[in-house]
Amino acid sequence: MSALLSVQGLRVEIAQRHRVLTAVDDVSFDIAAGEILGVVGESGAGKSVTGTAVLGLLERPAYQAAGRILFDGRRIDTLDEDAMRALRGREIAAVFQDPLTSLDPLMTIGDQLVETMRTHLDLTQAEAVERAARLLAEVGIPAPRERLASYPHEMSGGMRQRVVLALAFCCEPRLIIADEPTTALDVSIQAQILDLLRAMCRERGTAVMLVTHDMGVIAEVTDHVAVMYAGRLVEVGPTRRLLAAAAHPYTRGLMASIPDMYRRDEELMQIPGSMPRLDAPVPGCAFHPRCPQALARCAGERPPSFTTGASQVACWLADPAGRSAA
Amino acid sequence: MVAKDTILSVDRLTVRFDASPPLLKRLVTGAGRRTVHAVEEVDFEVARGSTFALVGESGCGKSTIARTIAGIQAPTGGSISFMGVDIAGFRTRHAAMPYRRNLQMIFQDPYASLNPRWRIGRIVAEPILTHGLMKPGAALKARVAELLETVGLSPGDTAKFPHQFSGGQRQRISIARALASNPAFVVCDEPTSALDVSVQAQILNLMKRLQRERGLTYLLISHNLAVVAHMADAMGVMYLGRLVEQGNAAQILARPLHPYTRLLLDTVPNPRAPNRARARLSGEVPSPLAPPSGCAFHPRCPLANARCARERPQPIRVEAALVACHAVEEGRLPSRPRANENCLAIPGDAA
Ligand SMILES: Nc1ncnc2c1ncn2[C@@H]1O[C@H](COP(=O)(O)OP(=O)(O)OP(=O)(O)O)[C@@H](O)[C@H]1O
Ligand SMILES: Nc1ncnc2c1ncn2[C@@H]1O[C@H](COP(=O)(O)OP(=O)(O)OP(=O)(O)O)[C@@H](O)[C@H]1O
Ligand code: SF4
Ligand code: SF4
Ligand SMILES: [Mg+2]
Ligand SMILES: [Mg+2]
């Protein structure tokens, strides 16, 4: 099975006046057509930066310093600005964490949808308007026809996010990079949007990179999960397996912090401390200052990615040689 | 009657927006005026030192209530009594100042809510200066550093700009700013929806610790019902601008009565039971431009009858909750299987 998107050894650096920071380091993953890859991890771990790099939208002072990004077997990180823009409008769509950055405050949402579709698809004005109204209905916007005339500021946070989703879906892209697409939405609209995403994957073979903090969403729609910590992938594996038996101590801590609907504890489990800052990277395993299972070597040696079953785990505990040696 | 320990009392609060096309267009096309019924006759009280959560569909009016309480949005009708004073009645920002100091807000969107051109130190110091609590100087600097440490940031961050922080870090900055004027009441609109679950746990633990130590009162808006279950003492469930069920949070989550609340709880994705069939709300999402007659939920309610389409249900008390539903009043509500903790089935792949 060949991947529709293949990210290989991606490294993103941020240039500062006196030094260079590394926001994303040695990140590799594949997404096949029709597959949904969930990306989770600490706030600031580099999830959005990774998505932005795939989209070719990194802006100074951030830049890709190493690695390759392949879309449908073709290298896209070396494309020029115009070629990349054409690809982005038509074949790769983005849904950003912040809906306001994707919407033009001075244009009605109907005009924005119609303009996007007419730029990339061969549609008449009337056909585009028709399709815009249908898309708004599909993402659960009430009174879609009347809402075409609304401006973004006249809508609630969740409604704006649904408009952004409609914009992403409108040209039937082959790859969607969705950064927190449903966090602003209530659970019933969220379920509706996730159904829609899943249907697109199944019926049209759309591939999705879905960044989310919601483990419920991960459990429901993703096929594989990638866990990021301090700019690196620490665990990648099939969703069911990762949720049932996470291997990396950070992933386990993450799972333990989820509040439970049916239990009310005074304190939630929390991983002590915080992720190292970009300007103060930690040698060895970046998680070692917080890791309850850290070994002596963890502070000095960075663990490579080990394959265990169907998962990849960057932790010395997963080292088959280390386990027998220790 | 307002109980003695009530810090906030919202009475028949109504907020409407005029969403009419421009006059000229109305004249040409014959289109009428259009009004968004964002919040309709909402009543609730919040006890000092407690957490009141608002939940409900996107667009049902939660943020509008939050903004109205915080004084950013003017109400169309009704009153908001905060610490015994009707703050909705203030005509000028100046008159409201002494109360505003006690009432701060954390917004849904950590991207839009921080001024991108201000350094963190200025952002956090701003409420202190606005309310004249301190003068610029070393003491103010120390206070800002202390606030940043309280929320888990470093005092060295004061010279940075918001774009240099991740979403989670920005939300901590918002919390530091909200705490700066030492408020009694904090309106938290989706405070953790931009955060990963481990930082969320830290922020929720921080909010609880601050509540214990300073007696803070929270109005919490969240789509995450597990967060609500963890934080709220009381909760209100909104549907299309109205509160349909409110009362003790533990009771409502364990034994929801209103058909909408029941559907909402059945729709929650559960990471510990990924293959559970989630309920789906069927039917068209109603429009706040033209709310359905009678009970606004009737076009989508499995229990709706002719009376529901005609007559708006009034809230009635059931144990520690108030519920506005004819089926509850008429005693024709089916019993609901008790929600229990589902276990995750471990897939059969070899380790
Ligand atoms: N333009 C920039 N200048 C400086 N630092 C940046 C810039 N963009 C991102 N960063 C830093 O890069 C790191 C990764 O950020 P990123 O936005 O990818 O995190 P994230 O995993 O998406 O977090 P969240 O879950 O909070 O959205 C963070 O430490 C952030 O502060
Ligand atoms: N300035 C405005 N002009 C016109 N309509 C508005 C305005 N602000 C909000 N509305 C409308 O009022 C209704 C309630 O919006 P509100 O932001 O309170 O929803 P919400 O419950 O917070 O939703 P979400 O969960 O999506 O944030 C929505 O229909 C929205 O479109
Ligand atoms: S490599 Fe060591 S410190 Fe890092 S997660 Fe594994 S055990 Fe913990
Ligand atoms: S009043 Fe009628 S329509 Fe409304 S929730 Fe109750 S049963 Fe359903
Ligand atoms: Mg992000
Ligand atoms: Mg809102």
Side-chain angles (χ1 to χ4, degrees), chain B residues 179-232:
Chain B
L179 293 175
S181 64
N182 233 331
F185 192 104
V186 184
V187 178
C188 312
D189 192 349
E190 299 279 1
T192 60
S193 67
L195 310 181
D196 72 84
V197 287
S198 87
V199 177
Q200 168 173 281
Q202 293 182 345
I203 297 280
L204 295 180
N205 286 341
L206 168 68
M207 284 174 62
K208 276 206 161 180
R209 193 191 87 215
L210 292 166
Q211 183 163 55
R212 267 196 315 273
E213 290 172 3
R214 308 182 182 196
L216 282 176
T217 310
Y218 296 123
L219 177 71
L220 171 70
I221 294 172
S222 180
H223 286 307
N224 187 329
L225 290 165
V227 167
V228 169
H230 181 70
M231 297 294 288

Short mmCIF file of all heavy atoms in Angstrom, two decimals, chain B residues 179-232:
data_model
loop_
_atom_site.label_atom_id
_atom_site.label_comp_id
_atom_site.label_asym_id
_atom_site.label_seq_id
_atom_site.Cartn_x
_atom_site.Cartn_y
_atom_site.Cartn_z
N LEU B 179 -6.89 36.67 36.52
CA LEU B 179 -6.70 36.67 37.97
C LEU B 179 -6.07 37.96 38.48
O LEU B 179 -6.07 38.23 39.67
CB LEU B 179 -5.78 35.50 38.37
CG LEU B 179 -6.34 34.10 38.16
CD1 LEU B 179 -5.26 33.08 38.50
CD2 LEU B 179 -7.57 33.87 39.02
N ALA B 180 -5.54 38.78 37.55
CA ALA B 180 -4.72 39.93 37.94
C ALA B 180 -5.45 40.90 38.86
O ALA B 180 -4.86 41.42 39.80
CB ALA B 180 -4.20 40.65 36.70
N SER B 181 -6.73 41.14 38.63
CA SER B 181 -7.43 42.12 39.45
C SER B 181 -8.06 41.47 40.68
O SER B 181 -8.90 42.09 41.33
CB SER B 181 -8.48 42.86 38.62
OG SER B 181 -9.48 41.94 38.19
N ASN B 182 -7.65 40.24 40.97
CA ASN B 182 -8.16 39.54 42.13
C ASN B 182 -9.68 39.44 42.15
O ASN B 182 -10.33 39.83 43.11
CB ASN B 182 -7.69 40.26 43.40
CG ASN B 182 -7.02 39.29 44.33
OD1 ASN B 182 -7.35 38.09 44.33
ND2 ASN B 182 -6.09 39.77 45.10
N PRO B 183 -10.28 38.92 41.09
CA PRO B 183 -11.73 38.93 40.99
C PRO B 183 -12.38 37.89 41.90
O PRO B 183 -11.71 36.95 42.36
CB PRO B 183 -11.94 38.53 39.53
CG PRO B 183 -10.79 37.64 39.21
CD PRO B 183 -9.62 38.21 39.98
N ALA B 184 -13.68 38.07 42.15
CA ALA B 184 -14.43 37.09 42.91
C ALA B 184 -15.07 36.08 41.96
O ALA B 184 -15.40 34.97 42.36
CB ALA B 184 -15.52 37.78 43.73
N PHE B 185 -15.25 36.51 40.70
CA PHE B 185 -16.03 35.71 39.76
C PHE B 185 -15.30 35.66 38.42
O PHE B 185 -14.88 36.69 37.91
CB PHE B 185 -17.39 36.40 39.59
CG PHE B 185 -18.43 35.58 38.88
CD1 PHE B 185 -19.47 34.97 39.59
CD2 PHE B 185 -18.41 35.43 37.49
CE1 PHE B 185 -20.44 34.22 38.94
CE2 PHE B 185 -19.39 34.69 36.84
CZ PHE B 185 -20.41 34.09 37.57
N VAL B 186 -15.14 34.48 37.89
CA VAL B 186 -14.48 34.37 36.59
C VAL B 186 -15.39 33.61 35.63
O VAL B 186 -15.85 32.51 35.93
CB VAL B 186 -13.11 33.66 36.67
CG1 VAL B 186 -12.42 33.66 35.31
CG2 VAL B 186 -12.22 34.35 37.70
N VAL B 187 -15.68 34.25 34.51
CA VAL B 187 -16.45 33.61 33.45
C VAL B 187 -15.46 32.89 32.55
O VAL B 187 -14.56 33.51 31.98
CB VAL B 187 -17.23 34.67 32.64
CG1 VAL B 187 -17.99 34.01 31.50
CG2 VAL B 187 -18.18 35.45 33.55
N CYS B 188 -15.59 31.57 32.43
CA CYS B 188 -14.63 30.79 31.64
C CYS B 188 -15.34 30.19 30.45
O CYS B 188 -16.11 29.25 30.59
CB CYS B 188 -14.03 29.67 32.48
SG CYS B 188 -13.47 30.18 34.11
N ASP B 189 -15.09 30.75 29.28
CA ASP B 189 -15.76 30.28 28.07
C ASP B 189 -14.82 29.29 27.37
O ASP B 189 -13.84 29.71 26.75
CB ASP B 189 -16.08 31.47 27.16
CG ASP B 189 -17.03 31.09 26.03
OD1 ASP B 189 -17.27 29.88 25.82
OD2 ASP B 189 -17.53 32.00 25.35
N GLU B 190 -15.09 28.02 27.49
CA GLU B 190 -14.25 26.97 26.90
C GLU B 190 -12.78 27.15 27.27
O GLU B 190 -11.91 27.23 26.40
CB GLU B 190 -14.37 27.00 25.36
CG GLU B 190 -15.75 26.75 24.84
CD GLU B 190 -16.12 25.28 24.78
OE1 GLU B 190 -15.29 24.44 25.18
OE2 GLU B 190 -17.23 24.98 24.37
N PRO B 191 -12.46 27.17 28.57
CA PRO B 191 -11.09 27.50 28.96
C PRO B 191 -10.07 26.46 28.54
O PRO B 191 -8.89 26.76 28.41
CB PRO B 191 -11.16 27.59 30.49
CG PRO B 191 -12.31 26.72 30.86
CD PRO B 191 -13.31 26.88 29.75
N THR B 192 -10.47 25.22 28.33
CA THR B 192 -9.48 24.19 28.05
C THR B 192 -9.68 23.49 26.71
O THR B 192 -9.01 22.51 26.41
CB THR B 192 -9.45 23.10 29.15
OG1 THR B 192 -10.74 22.48 29.21
CG2 THR B 192 -9.11 23.67 30.50
N SER B 193 -10.58 24.02 25.88
CA SER B 193 -10.84 23.26 24.65
C SER B 193 -9.67 23.33 23.68
O SER B 193 -9.55 22.51 22.79
CB SER B 193 -12.13 23.71 23.99
OG SER B 193 -12.01 25.00 23.51
N ALA B 194 -8.75 24.29 23.87
CA ALA B 194 -7.58 24.36 22.99
C ALA B 194 -6.39 23.58 23.56
O ALA B 194 -5.32 23.61 22.99
CB ALA B 194 -7.18 25.81 22.76
N LEU B 195 -6.60 22.91 24.68
CA LEU B 195 -5.45 22.31 25.36
C LEU B 195 -5.46 20.79 25.28
O LEU B 195 -6.51 20.17 25.22
CB LEU B 195 -5.48 22.71 26.84
CG LEU B 195 -5.64 24.20 27.11
CD1 LEU B 195 -5.64 24.47 28.60
CD2 LEU B 195 -4.54 24.99 26.42
N ASP B 196 -4.28 20.20 25.33
CA ASP B 196 -4.23 18.75 25.36
C ASP B 196 -4.67 18.28 26.74
O ASP B 196 -4.70 19.05 27.70
CB ASP B 196 -2.82 18.25 25.03
CG ASP B 196 -1.87 18.52 26.17
OD1 ASP B 196 -1.82 17.70 27.10
OD2 ASP B 196 -1.21 19.56 26.14
N VAL B 197 -5.01 16.99 26.85
CA VAL B 197 -5.61 16.52 28.09
C VAL B 197 -4.68 16.62 29.30
O VAL B 197 -5.16 16.78 30.41
CB VAL B 197 -6.18 15.08 27.97
CG1 VAL B 197 -7.45 15.09 27.15
CG2 VAL B 197 -5.16 14.13 27.39
N SER B 198 -3.37 16.56 29.10
CA SER B 198 -2.52 16.65 30.29
C SER B 198 -2.42 18.10 30.75
O SER B 198 -2.45 18.37 31.95
CB SER B 198 -1.15 16.00 30.06
OG SER B 198 -0.24 16.91 29.49
N VAL B 199 -2.34 19.05 29.82
CA VAL B 199 -2.36 20.46 30.22
C VAL B 199 -3.75 20.83 30.73
O VAL B 199 -3.91 21.58 31.69
CB VAL B 199 -1.92 21.38 29.07
CG1 VAL B 199 -2.00 22.83 29.49
CG2 VAL B 199 -0.49 21.04 28.65
N GLN B 200 -4.78 20.25 30.12
CA GLN B 200 -6.14 20.47 30.61
C GLN B 200 -6.25 20.05 32.08
O GLN B 200 -6.82 20.78 32.89
CB GLN B 200 -7.14 19.67 29.77
CG GLN B 200 -8.52 19.61 30.39
CD GLN B 200 -9.52 18.95 29.46
OE1 GLN B 200 -10.00 19.58 28.52
NE2 GLN B 200 -9.84 17.70 29.70
N ALA B 201 -5.69 18.89 32.39
CA ALA B 201 -5.74 18.43 33.78
C ALA B 201 -5.03 19.43 34.69
O ALA B 201 -5.53 19.76 35.77
CB ALA B 201 -5.09 17.05 33.90
N GLN B 202 -3.90 19.97 34.22
CA GLN B 202 -3.19 20.96 35.04
C GLN B 202 -4.02 22.23 35.23
O GLN B 202 -4.09 22.78 36.32
CB GLN B 202 -1.85 21.32 34.38
CG GLN B 202 -0.86 20.16 34.38
CD GLN B 202 0.48 20.54 33.79
OE1 GLN B 202 0.61 21.57 33.14
NE2 GLN B 202 1.48 19.71 34.01
N ILE B 203 -4.67 22.69 34.14
CA ILE B 203 -5.46 23.92 34.23
C ILE B 203 -6.69 23.70 35.12
O ILE B 203 -7.02 24.54 35.95
CB ILE B 203 -5.89 24.40 32.82
CG1 ILE B 203 -4.67 24.75 31.96
CG2 ILE B 203 -6.88 25.56 32.90
CD1 ILE B 203 -4.06 26.11 32.20
N LEU B 204 -7.36 22.58 34.96
CA LEU B 204 -8.54 22.31 35.78
C LEU B 204 -8.15 22.16 37.25
O LEU B 204 -8.83 22.68 38.14
CB LEU B 204 -9.28 21.07 35.28
CG LEU B 204 -9.89 21.17 33.88
CD1 LEU B 204 -10.61 19.87 33.52
CD2 LEU B 204 -10.84 22.35 33.75
N ASN B 205 -7.03 21.47 37.51
CA ASN B 205 -6.56 21.37 38.89
C ASN B 205 -6.20 22.75 39.43
O ASN B 205 -6.50 23.06 40.58
CB ASN B 205 -5.35 20.43 38.98
CG ASN B 205 -5.74 18.96 38.83
OD1 ASN B 205 -6.92 18.60 39.00
ND2 ASN B 205 -4.79 18.11 38.50
N LEU B 206 -5.59 23.58 38.57
CA LEU B 206 -5.26 24.95 38.98
C LEU B 206 -6.53 25.75 39.29
O LEU B 206 -6.61 26.44 40.31
CB LEU B 206 -4.47 25.63 37.85
CG LEU B 206 -4.26 27.14 37.93
CD1 LEU B 206 -3.32 27.48 39.09
CD2 LEU B 206 -3.66 27.69 36.63
N MET B 207 -7.54 25.63 38.41
CA MET B 207 -8.79 26.36 38.66
C MET B 207 -9.43 25.91 39.97
O MET B 207 -9.93 26.72 40.74
CB MET B 207 -9.76 26.14 37.49
CG MET B 207 -9.41 26.95 36.24
SD MET B 207 -10.46 26.55 34.82
CE MET B 207 -12.09 27.03 35.44
N LYS B 208 -9.40 24.61 40.23
CA LYS B 208 -9.98 24.10 41.48
C LYS B 208 -9.20 24.57 42.69
O LYS B 208 -9.77 24.91 43.72
CB LYS B 208 -10.03 22.58 41.44
CG LYS B 208 -11.25 22.05 40.72
CD LYS B 208 -11.60 20.67 41.23
CE LYS B 208 -13.05 20.35 40.88
NZ LYS B 208 -13.43 19.02 41.36
N ARG B 209 -7.87 24.60 42.55
CA ARG B 209 -7.05 25.04 43.67
C ARG B 209 -7.33 26.51 43.97
O ARG B 209 -7.51 26.90 45.12
CB ARG B 209 -5.56 24.84 43.33
CG ARG B 209 -4.63 24.96 44.53
CD ARG B 209 -3.18 25.04 44.09
NE ARG B 209 -2.81 26.42 43.82
CZ ARG B 209 -1.96 26.78 42.86
NH1 ARG B 209 -1.40 25.89 42.07
NH2 ARG B 209 -1.67 28.06 42.68
N LEU B 210 -7.42 27.33 42.91
CA LEU B 210 -7.70 28.75 43.11
C LEU B 210 -9.08 28.93 43.74
O LEU B 210 -9.29 29.83 44.55
CB LEU B 210 -7.62 29.49 41.77
CG LEU B 210 -6.21 29.58 41.16
CD1 LEU B 210 -6.28 30.03 39.71
CD2 LEU B 210 -5.35 30.54 41.98
N GLN B 211 -10.02 28.09 43.34
CA GLN B 211 -11.36 28.18 43.91
C GLN B 211 -11.32 27.87 45.41
O GLN B 211 -11.91 28.59 46.22
CB GLN B 211 -12.28 27.19 43.20
CG GLN B 211 -13.73 27.26 43.68
CD GLN B 211 -14.67 26.58 42.69
OE1 GLN B 211 -14.49 25.41 42.35
NE2 GLN B 211 -15.67 27.31 42.23
N ARG B 212 -10.58 26.81 45.77
CA ARG B 212 -10.46 26.44 47.19
C ARG B 212 -9.78 27.55 47.98
O ARG B 212 -10.24 27.95 49.04
CB ARG B 212 -9.60 25.17 47.33
CG ARG B 212 -10.37 23.88 47.36
CD ARG B 212 -9.50 22.73 47.89
NE ARG B 212 -8.15 22.68 47.34
CZ ARG B 212 -7.82 22.05 46.20
NH1 ARG B 212 -8.76 21.42 45.52
NH2 ARG B 212 -6.58 22.03 45.78
N GLU B 213 -8.67 28.08 47.42
CA GLU B 213 -7.87 29.03 48.18
C GLU B 213 -8.48 30.43 48.23
O GLU B 213 -8.35 31.12 49.22
CB GLU B 213 -6.47 29.14 47.57
CG GLU B 213 -5.65 27.88 47.79
CD GLU B 213 -4.33 27.89 47.03
OE1 GLU B 213 -4.02 28.91 46.37
OE2 GLU B 213 -3.63 26.88 47.10
N ARG B 214 -9.13 30.84 47.16
CA ARG B 214 -9.61 32.23 47.09
C ARG B 214 -11.12 32.32 47.07
O ARG B 214 -11.66 33.42 46.88
CB ARG B 214 -9.07 32.91 45.83
CG ARG B 214 -7.59 32.80 45.67
CD ARG B 214 -7.13 33.54 44.45
NE ARG B 214 -5.68 33.38 44.30
CZ ARG B 214 -4.93 34.14 43.53
NH1 ARG B 214 -5.47 35.10 42.83
NH2 ARG B 214 -3.64 33.93 43.45
N GLY B 215 -11.81 31.20 47.17
CA GLY B 215 -13.27 31.22 47.15
C GLY B 215 -13.85 31.71 45.84
O GLY B 215 -14.93 32.29 45.79
N LEU B 216 -13.12 31.52 44.74
CA LEU B 216 -13.58 31.99 43.44
C LEU B 216 -14.87 31.30 43.01
O LEU B 216 -15.11 30.14 43.34
CB LEU B 216 -12.53 31.69 42.36
CG LEU B 216 -11.32 32.60 42.28
CD1 LEU B 216 -10.36 32.09 41.23
CD2 LEU B 216 -11.77 34.01 41.94
N THR B 217 -15.67 32.03 42.27
CA THR B 217 -16.88 31.47 41.66
C THR B 217 -16.64 31.41 40.16
O THR B 217 -16.09 32.34 39.58
CB THR B 217 -18.09 32.39 41.95
OG1 THR B 217 -18.12 32.67 43.34
CG2 THR B 217 -19.38 31.72 41.52
N TYR B 218 -17.06 30.30 39.55
CA TYR B 218 -16.87 30.18 38.10
C TYR B 218 -18.20 30.00 37.38
O TYR B 218 -19.06 29.24 37.83
CB TYR B 218 -16.02 28.95 37.75
CG TYR B 218 -14.60 28.99 38.24
CD1 TYR B 218 -14.12 27.97 39.05
CD2 TYR B 218 -13.74 30.02 37.88
CE1 TYR B 218 -12.80 27.96 39.48
CE2 TYR B 218 -12.42 30.02 38.32
CZ TYR B 218 -11.96 29.00 39.13
OH TYR B 218 -10.65 28.99 39.55
N LEU B 219 -18.32 30.68 36.25
CA LEU B 219 -19.32 30.29 35.26
C LEU B 219 -18.51 29.60 34.17
O LEU B 219 -17.65 30.21 33.54
CB LEU B 219 -20.04 31.52 34.70
CG LEU B 219 -21.06 31.18 33.60
CD1 LEU B 219 -22.27 30.49 34.18
CD2 LEU B 219 -21.50 32.44 32.86
N LEU B 220 -18.78 28.33 33.96
CA LEU B 220 -17.95 27.53 33.06
C LEU B 220 -18.77 27.10 31.85
O LEU B 220 -19.84 26.52 31.99
CB LEU B 220 -17.46 26.28 33.80
CG LEU B 220 -16.75 25.23 32.96
CD1 LEU B 220 -15.38 25.71 32.50
CD2 LEU B 220 -16.59 23.94 33.76
N ILE B 221 -18.25 27.43 30.67
CA ILE B 221 -18.90 26.98 29.45
C ILE B 221 -18.01 25.93 28.82
O ILE B 221 -16.81 26.16 28.63
CB ILE B 221 -19.11 28.16 28.48
CG1 ILE B 221 -20.11 29.12 29.10
CG2 ILE B 221 -19.61 27.67 27.12
CD1 ILE B 221 -20.27 30.41 28.36
N SER B 222 -18.56 24.76 28.53
CA SER B 222 -17.74 23.73 27.92
C SER B 222 -18.59 22.75 27.13
O SER B 222 -19.70 22.43 27.53
CB SER B 222 -16.95 22.97 28.98
OG SER B 222 -16.16 21.98 28.36
N HIS B 223 -18.04 22.33 26.00
CA HIS B 223 -18.69 21.27 25.23
C HIS B 223 -18.28 19.91 25.75
O HIS B 223 -18.85 18.90 25.37
CB HIS B 223 -18.29 21.35 23.75
CG HIS B 223 -18.93 22.47 23.04
ND1 HIS B 223 -20.29 22.64 23.05
CD2 HIS B 223 -18.43 23.48 22.31
CE1 HIS B 223 -20.59 23.72 22.35
NE2 HIS B 223 -19.46 24.25 21.89
N ASN B 224 -17.25 19.90 26.58
CA ASN B 224 -16.73 18.64 27.06
C ASN B 224 -17.45 18.28 28.35
O ASN B 224 -17.20 18.83 29.41
CB ASN B 224 -15.23 18.77 27.29
CG ASN B 224 -14.60 17.46 27.63
OD1 ASN B 224 -15.23 16.60 28.25
ND2 ASN B 224 -13.35 17.28 27.23
N LEU B 225 -18.37 17.31 28.26
CA LEU B 225 -19.20 17.01 29.42
C LEU B 225 -18.41 16.32 30.52
O LEU B 225 -18.80 16.38 31.68
CB LEU B 225 -20.40 16.17 28.98
CG LEU B 225 -21.39 17.00 28.14
CD1 LEU B 225 -22.37 16.11 27.40
CD2 LEU B 225 -22.14 17.99 29.01
N ALA B 226 -17.30 15.70 30.17
CA ALA B 226 -16.47 15.11 31.22
C ALA B 226 -15.83 16.23 32.05
O ALA B 226 -15.69 16.10 33.26
CB ALA B 226 -15.40 14.20 30.61
N VAL B 227 -15.47 17.33 31.39
CA VAL B 227 -14.93 18.48 32.11
C VAL B 227 -16.01 19.07 33.02
O VAL B 227 -15.77 19.39 34.19
CB VAL B 227 -14.41 19.55 31.12
CG1 VAL B 227 -14.13 20.87 31.84
CG2 VAL B 227 -13.15 19.05 30.42
N VAL B 228 -17.22 19.17 32.50
CA VAL B 228 -18.34 19.68 33.30
C VAL B 228 -18.57 18.76 34.50
O VAL B 228 -18.71 19.22 35.64
CB VAL B 228 -19.62 19.80 32.44
CG1 VAL B 228 -20.83 20.07 33.30
CG2 VAL B 228 -19.44 20.91 31.40
N ALA B 229 -18.56 17.46 34.25
CA ALA B 229 -18.78 16.50 35.35
C ALA B 229 -17.71 16.68 36.42
O ALA B 229 -17.99 16.58 37.61
CB ALA B 229 -18.75 15.07 34.81
N HIS B 230 -16.51 16.99 35.99
CA HIS B 230 -15.42 17.12 36.94
C HIS B 230 -15.49 18.42 37.75
O HIS B 230 -15.13 18.46 38.92
CB HIS B 230 -14.09 17.05 36.20
CG HIS B 230 -12.91 17.15 37.11
ND1 HIS B 230 -12.58 16.15 37.99
CD2 HIS B 230 -12.03 18.15 37.31
CE1 HIS B 230 -11.53 16.53 38.68
NE2 HIS B 230 -11.17 17.73 38.29
N MET B 231 -15.96 19.49 37.10
CA MET B 231 -15.87 20.82 37.72
C MET B 231 -17.16 21.34 38.36
O MET B 231 -17.12 22.07 39.34
CB MET B 231 -15.45 21.85 36.65
CG MET B 231 -14.09 21.64 36.04
SD MET B 231 -12.75 21.86 37.20
CE MET B 231 -12.77 23.67 37.42
N ALA B 232 -18.31 21.03 37.76
CA ALA B 232 -19.52 21.79 38.09
C ALA B 232 -20.24 21.30 39.34
O ALA B 232 -20.37 20.11 39.57
CB ALA B 232 -20.47 21.76 36.90
#
